[in-house]
Amino acid sequence: MKHFRQLVGSAIAASIFFTGAAVAGTACDKTPVAPQRSEAIGRDMIVNGVPISVVGMQFDGTIDDVSKAFRAFWTAENAPAKGRSTASGLMLSAVDGNCLYLLNLPSPQERAYTRGLMSVIRLGTGEANLKIPDSAIALPEESKVLSDVESRDRGQTGRTWLLDIPGEARWNAQRYRNRLASQGWVNVGREPEYQSVGTQSPQGKAFAMQRGKDSVDASFSDRDGRTVAVINATRNR
């Protein structure tokens, strides 16, 4: 999970940097290094407005072997790869039309095979085609979006916002619940208040509500005199 969060962060930063080089029409489905095995982590996601897919991969050989194969593939495709060492390992990248390929290889890896995370980002596609649009659910008043991730599978779409809000968690939770209720959302459950270790008073609020095919789970917690909120919306298809 730690490496996944690092990869998404690097992917979004890279996508912003390379957006101007985008050319429409590329399928973004190339496999620069054939994996021994793979596992889909998020094949159809939109992270902060950028379409992205992430696949966990296991390769034969060392990190150096995988790096050489990655670079050789893109050299043959006339899209030379770049490499950058990070605190967590090696990050390889290549831009092919409107597709940014990122391969993160954590280190050290003292084994006969190499594990990595392959991220493919579609650049310059204009406004993201969100299945849960902004209009589907109002966010808390005065909130600042820190991250916005939509993921999809065959029967369900989820969109999660991480928010920063001024004021206390208890007050913000109650105000948000009242706002949703005024818009036709119905309470379907309330989780117990929770508290940080060593404190004497509750530190947050959490609740769940539903409207039609949409449901929302919201949790609020106090941090340094402000509120951190996680709003998770789900739409069943």
Side-chain angles (χ1 to χ4, degrees), residues 14 22 28 33 36 40 47 59 77 83 85 92 115 138 161 173 188-189 201 236:
C28 296
V33 185
Q36 184 183 50
V47 180
F59 306 97
E77 293 286 319
S85 296
L92 300 169
R115 289 178 177 172
W161 294 268
V188 294
S201 59
N236 295 312

Side-chain angles (χ1 to χ4, degrees), residues 169-174 176-177 180 187-195 202-209 216-222 227-232:
R170 289 173 60 85
W171 162 245
N172 284 317
Q174 185 61 51
Y176 185 51
R177 183 175 180 275
L180 292 181
N187 185 50
V188 294
R190 182 185 295 274
E191 298 180 15
E193 297 177 351
Y194 59 90
Q195 62 185 57
Q203 297 296 305
K205 282 282 189 177
F207 60 84
M209 303 185 79
V216 61
D217 293 283
S219 63
F220 297 75
S221 60
D222 289 301
T227 297
V228 174
V230 177
I231 310 299
N232 182 54

Side-chain angles (χ1 to χ4, degrees), residues 31-37 57-60 66 69 73:
T31 304
V33 185
Q36 184 183 50
R37 63 181 63 179
M57 294 183 170
Q58 179 175 306
F59 306 97
D60 288 325
V66 177
F73 176 89

Side-chain angles (χ1 to χ4, degrees), residues 122-151:
R122 189 179 296 276
L123 306 174
T125 56
E127 187 174 349
N129 181 25
L130 294 163
K131 300 299 183 183
I132 300 180
D134 294 345
S135 59
I137 177 173
L139 296 178
E141 296 177 351
E142 301 181 68
S143 61
K144 176 183 178 181
V145 177
L146 302 179
S147 69
D148 175 4
V149 179
E150 183 178 275
S151 59

